[in-house]
Amino acid sequence: MFVFLKNKSLEWSSLQDYTFILPAVSVGNIGQLSVDLLISSLHCDKLAKLDHPVFVPVVGSDPYDEIREQGLMTAAELYISKEKKLVILQIRGLLIKEFCADFLSQLVDWIKKCAFVKTILLSSLHNYERVDSQLTGSPFRYTVTSAVNSSIENELKTLQWPALETRRSVWKEGNEDILFFPGGGYTSLLNKLCGEMNVPLVTLLIFCAEGDNIPGVLLVTGHFNRWLNFVPMANDAPGWKFPASWKLFFGAPAPMTMY
C-alpha cells in the first residue's frame, strides 16, 4: 500500500516512539486542512505515497512549495518529522466507498505493526446535528478506544476537551446508546476497527459547517498544539506557517477590469 520515495525507505519497527496523525475526509475538510498546516509548519519530509483503489486519482503541484517547481502531490501521501518524532498521513483525493473498508483494515494493520506511541485522528461533525446539550459551550469533542491509556484521557480533560456524548440509535432496536459521527466520513468505521483490534486511537473533533473553515482549523490545531506542543509558541500563539496552496484558497482575486 505504501510506495516509498527514492532513498526514503525505512523499517516500520523504527517508528515505535513516534506519534501518528491522520485526517478524516469529513465535513468542512477540517482534518485535512489541519494536517496541511502541521506539515507546512513543521517542514515535514515526504516519505511515501499510498497506492490503493480507494483513492480517486489526483495530481498537482506541491502544496507546500512556494516556487512550485520542486515536485508533485498525489491523492494520499505519508510525511515524517524525525525531529518531532511524528508521522503524518495526508489524504487529498476523494474516497471510493466500496473500497473504504479494505483500505481502513489495511491501515489499522499497519498502525498496529508500527506500534506508535499515539495515533490521533482529526475529524469534524455537522454542527446542525448537535443535540440540545451541545449547542452551548466548547465546540470540541474527543473519543478514545478502550486501548488508550487513561492518562491520555485525563490530559484531554485537563485541556477542557469534552468527551463526545452518546446518542440513542435510531437504526437499532432497544435502548442502546452509541457514538454518532454525522459528517465524519470514515471516523465511525476507523474507531470500530481500532476498537476490535485493540489499537489505541484518539479522535479529536469539532462541530462545523461547509465553507471557509480556516478559523476552525486554527482553533483545532491551536488546541491540539496545547496538548502535544509540536509547534513552538510565539506571542502566546503557535508559530504557524500557512501552506503556499492556501494563498488562492477560493481562486484568484476578481479581475480589476470587471469594475
Side-chain angles (χ1 to χ4, degrees), residues 11-206:
E11 294 294 330
W12 297 131
S13 58
S14 66
L15 300 176
Q16 292 184 4
D17 56 344
Y18 279 64
T19 293
F20 178 52
I21 300 173
L22 73 159
V25 183
S26 55
V27 57
N29 305 105
I30 289 282
Q32 294 159 290
L33 292 171
S34 298
V35 162
D36 256 350
L37 189 58
L38 287 170
I39 292 171
S40 177
S41 300
L42 297 173
H43 307 286
C44 297
D45 293 322
K46 189 187 301 186
L47 180 64
K49 302 176 182 180
L50 273 71
D51 181 18
H52 192 281
V54 72
F55 300 113
V56 175
V58 62
V59 66
S61 58
D62 188 335
Y64 314 115
D65 176 25
E66 299 283 351
I67 305 175
R68 308 218 165 191
E69 295 179 353
Q70 302 296 318
L72 298 174
M73 66 87 182
T74 55
E77 296 174 326
L78 195 68
Y79 292 81
I80 188 169
S81 171
K82 294 182 178 179
E83 177 188 357
K84 300 294 183 178
K85 298 288 185 180
L86 184 63
V87 174
I88 303 178
L89 171 64
Q90 176 61 301
I91 297 175
R92 300 189 184 93
L94 297 175
L95 304 182
I96 300 173
K97 184 177 180 180
E98 289 76 9
F99 300 109
C100 199
D102 178 71
F103 164 66
L104 292 178
S105 179
Q106 291 188 43
L107 183 64
V108 173
D109 285 338
W110 173 77
I111 292 172
K112 194 163 188 177
K113 182 186 300 183
C114 293
F116 294 110
V117 173
K118 296 183 183 73
T119 298
I120 302 167
L121 174 67
L122 301 178
S123 186
S124 50
L125 305 172
H126 283 303
N127 58 11
Y128 64 77
E129 286 279 4
R130 290 175 292 177
V131 296
D132 290 348
S133 63
Q134 298 169 335
L135 292 176
T136 59
S138 173
F140 305 117
R141 292 295 186 273
Y142 78 86
T143 67
V144 295
T145 57
S146 58
V148 172
N149 192 297
S150 60
S151 64
I152 292 179
E153 192 166 7
N154 291 334
E155 291 172 3
L156 293 172
K157 290 178 178 177
T158 300
L159 292 171
Q160 299 181 335
W161 205 306
L164 180 64
E165 300 86 348
T166 57
R167 295 169 61 171
R168 186 65 49 85
S169 173
V170 297
W171 301 283
K172 298 180 180 179
E173 296 182 359
N175 299 321
E176 181 183 0
D177 287 340
I178 63 169
L179 289 172
F180 184 47
F181 301 98
Y186 57 67
T187 301
S188 179
L189 182 55
L190 184 59
N191 271 267
K192 178 183 177 183
L193 290 172
C194 286
E196 291 174 349
M197 296 188 66
N198 202 36
V199 172
L201 174 70
V202 177
T203 303
L204 304 181
L205 306 133
I206 187 173

Side-chain angles (χ1 to χ4, degrees), residues 241-256:
K241 179 186 177 184
F242 286 8
S245 56
W246 287 18
K247 290 181 178 179
L248 299 177
F249 224 165
F250 297 99
M256 295 303 296

